[in-house]
Amino acid sequence: MDRLPEEANATGQRIPFKALKTRDAITTAGYGTDPNVITPKAPWDPLLSRHQLKMVAALSDIVLPGTSEFAAPSKIGISNFFNEWLSAPYKTQQSDKDLIFQGLDLLDRESRRLYWVGFLWLSRKRKARVLDAVIAMGGDARKFFARFRYLLVAGYFTSDMGFAAIGYKGNVPLQSFAPVSADVQRIIDDELRQLGL
């Protein structure tokens, strides 16, 4: 067994440290390695079923349809984003998981009530009607939609496709910055004048 060196307190008296077992110090786990940001993988198991993944994709394409220029959320793997987010063991994600799972079940139930088939088998127009009916219920149903939409927009517009859709130019090397337009410069000058600067 090793001993740590002693230390003196403010009055000069020696304060002995407790004995340290070298073997315990060496085998302590620590916090792990640096994260892999090139090919990241969540350390937790994905929870969404195949059906739920398809529901997320279908609902995402209703809420945020693709265009000829920008792919629909289902085409860029938005279901994988939801699967990682909702499977995470953190408080916010666990709360989101309960809300989203209940909302997806509600969509399927409402679809069967209105059209006698599950949400996935409906036409785009009928899916939109079911979604409108669920939102109109208010309460937790409306909270489900608001949170789903929030996560969808966050996931989509932080993807490469989403960056392109909003014209985001960050995280790329630039030779120079585009100059400020005359209209924007006038606004800045007006604001500075009002602030007395």
Side-chain angles (χ1 to χ4, degrees), residues 140-159:
D140 285 344
R142 189 166 184 81
K143 284 181 192 172
F144 151 72
F145 174 70
R147 190 60 181 165
F148 184 92
R149 182 182 55 194
Y150 175 87
L151 292 173
L152 169 62
V153 169
Y156 187 85
F157 289 108
T158 55
S159 71

Side-chain angles (χ1 to χ4, degrees), residues 21-55:
K21 293 182 180 176
T22 307
R23 185 175 52 102
D24 291 344
I26 293 171
T27 59
T28 302
Y31 65 86
T33 60
D34 289 338
N36 177 352
V37 295
I38 305 300
T39 53
K41 179 171 178 356
W44 46 82
D45 293 329
L47 297 178
L48 272 70
S49 69
R50 250 190 161 148
H51 181 74
Q52 288 170 322
L53 290 169
K54 288 179 181 178
M55 289 283 291

Side-chain angles (χ1 to χ4, degrees), residues 65-109:
T67 66
S68 59
E69 191 177 358
F70 302 109
S74 65
K75 302 295 184 211
I76 67 162
I78 199 71
S79 295
N80 296 330
F81 166 79
F82 271 85
N83 205 6
E84 184 175 327
W85 181 269
L86 299 175
S87 300
Y90 310 116
K91 185 178 178 183
T92 299
Q93 284 81 350
Q94 290 297 299
S95 175
D96 287 345
K97 179 190 74 169
D98 294 341
L99 187 62
I100 300 298
F101 281 17
Q102 290 168 14
L104 294 176
D105 287 344
L106 179 60
L107 275 175
D108 246 354
R109 284 197 315 270

Side-chain angles (χ1 to χ4, degrees), residues 163-181:
F163 284 163
I166 61 174
Y168 179 67
K169 302 290 184 204
N171 299 333
V172 295
L174 301 173
Q175 293 294 327
S176 63
F177 293 100
V180 175
S181 70

